[in-house]
Amino acid sequence: MLKSLRAALVMSVITLTTFGASSAFTAPLKVVASFTVIADFAKNVGGDRIDVTTIVGPDGDAHVYEPSPADAVAMANADIVLVNGLHFEGFLQRLVDASATKASIITLTKGVTPIDFKPEFADADAAEGAGTGGGKTVTDPHAFQSIANARIYVKNIAEAFCAADSDGCVSYQTNAATYTKKLDALEGEVKAAIQSIPAAKRVVITSHDAFGYFEHAYGLTFLAPQGISTDSEPSAADVAKLVTQVKQDKAAAIFVENITNPRLIEQIADETGIKVGGTLYSDALSQPDGPASTYIDMMHNNIRQIKGAILGS
């Protein structure tokens, strides 16, 4: 893999030479985003002053993604690389090493208060470097599932763009402020939707533990057979334990995720008698023509699916 990545970089050097050094002053800021949610934030802040390349695309799973030679080329040519951090991108260090990128790598969870927890069902999580499994405490990397944290991501992106392109700083700050107001309105909608659900029915099942920050912020309980990473399969004992708890807690709805195989969720639905309520978008946005092609659309879709499945509306 590393040899193929490095070979691709030779072609990138030729391409850079063709354009010449003078073009660097007029070209948009070259931004690489590790996955689609971050790419959407970057586009809202950067506007037409940036050119965004996304590593893990729509409906992609960053937990198990394997980088390509094209990814290495994008990283090598980048001015800025925007990443989630908290071990979300298991491929990141390998790609940085293979590309030998000189870009500034910006961790967007800087300033976020991480949520640590012990996986309740999964025997072993595969979040890289997190030391998970065996009941050990792990750090949930899905901080973007809280809109308050999304505002922190946006702030960090604006600061990074200003540092790299001071001429565009006013534009970046203005765009960030405009988008933050949209996030404020979105958060009000999400809170109102959750409040409309009776407290006794605010328990749902998803494929893996991607919604801990959403749960903490908005008061909905999520149960999942897999831990924070999709890299490991839950054991039969994990699934049986979850089915028992679901029956006891009377979970109101069950959902598949866009990044995971629905087989396990369908099995749990059969064993509990709970109908699958739809698809939630967890670690990736949808295709451009899908229901969650932006972060705001993702949140609207998820809360609409949850409320509709629980209340039948």
Side-chain angles (χ1 to χ4, degrees):
M1 174 61 74
L2 290 179
K3 287 184 178 179
S4 62
L5 294 178
R6 286 169 180 150
L9 294 181
V10 175
M11 293 304 299
S12 77
V13 171
I14 295 173
T15 301
L16 286 174
T17 303
T18 301
F19 281 108
S22 61
S23 65
F25 295 101
T26 58
L29 201 63
K30 293 184 178 66
V31 178
V32 168
S34 60
F35 70 113
T36 51
V37 169
I38 288 178
D40 185 52
F41 292 157
K43 291 172 185 175
N44 277 281
V45 175
D48 60 7
R49 294 188 69 92
I50 67 169
D51 182 11
V52 181
T53 300
T54 309
I55 300 297
V56 185
D59 296 318
D61 185 352
H63 295 298
V64 297
Y65 183 78
E66 289 296 329
S68 70
D71 296 330
V73 171
M75 288 280 280
N77 294 344
D79 298 308
I80 292 179
V81 177
L82 302 175
V83 303
N84 187 82
L86 300 179
H87 305 291
F88 181 75
E89 303 97 343
F91 61 86
L92 180 62
Q93 193 56 53
R94 285 178 289 137
L95 185 54
V96 169
D97 292 344
S99 67
T101 183
K102 302 300 183 183
S104 299
I105 299 176
I106 309 300
T107 301
L108 298 182
T109 48
K110 179 183 178 182
V112 165
T113 301
I115 292 177
D116 296 328
F117 70 104
K118 289 185 178 181
E120 192 167 0
F121 300 107
D123 285 336
D125 257 321
E128 184 172 310
T132 59
K136 293 182 180 180
T137 298
V138 297
T139 297
D140 186 347
H142 306 87
F144 50 88
Q145 285 292 344
S146 157
I147 298 169
N149 287 340
R151 289 193 288 265
I152 295 175
Y153 283 49
V154 169
K155 177 177 179 290
N156 288 336
I157 290 170
E159 289 177 353
F161 288 175
C162 282
D165 174 23
S166 58
D167 290 344
C169 190
V170 171
S171 175
Y172 300 137
Q173 291 173 336
T174 300
N175 292 344
T178 299
Y179 185 63
T180 297
K181 288 181 180 178
K182 294 179 180 179
L183 293 178
D184 292 342
L186 173 66
E187 187 164 48
E189 295 170 14
V190 170
K191 288 180 176 179
I194 297 297
Q195 287 301 313
S196 72
I197 301 172
K201 293 188 175 183
R202 296 178 193 170
V203 180
V204 300
I205 305 167
T206 57
S207 302
H208 84 296
D209 283 317
F211 295 95
Y213 291 87
F214 190 103
E215 175 178 321
H216 186 266
Y218 308 118
L220 199 68
T221 297
F222 289 84
L223 304 176
Q226 287 180 291
I228 60 171
S229 174
T230 58
D231 204 10
S232 60
E233 286 289 327
S235 68
D238 288 332
V239 176
K241 183 179 178 183
L242 176 58
V243 168
T244 298
Q245 180 168 341
V246 167
K247 291 177 178 178
Q248 292 173 345
D249 291 350
K250 296 181 173 57
I254 185 169
F255 299 93
V256 297
E257 294 175 33
N258 66 314
I259 66 164
T260 59
N261 189 317
R263 176 186 52 81
L264 182 59
I265 287 298
E266 290 167 353
Q267 174 191 341
I268 295 171
D270 288 341
E271 294 187 24
T272 60
I274 301 174
K275 183 180 178 181
V276 176
T279 300
L280 300 185
Y281 289 80
S282 53
D283 294 16
L285 302 180
S286 69
Q287 297 291 337
D289 59 350
S293 60
T294 70
Y295 178 79
I296 289 175
D297 286 345
M298 178 186 81
M299 284 295 186
H300 280 150
N301 172 84
N302 288 355
I303 197 61
R304 183 173 60 250
Q305 295 285 348
I306 290 169
K307 185 178 177 181
I310 294 175
L311 300 181
S313 59

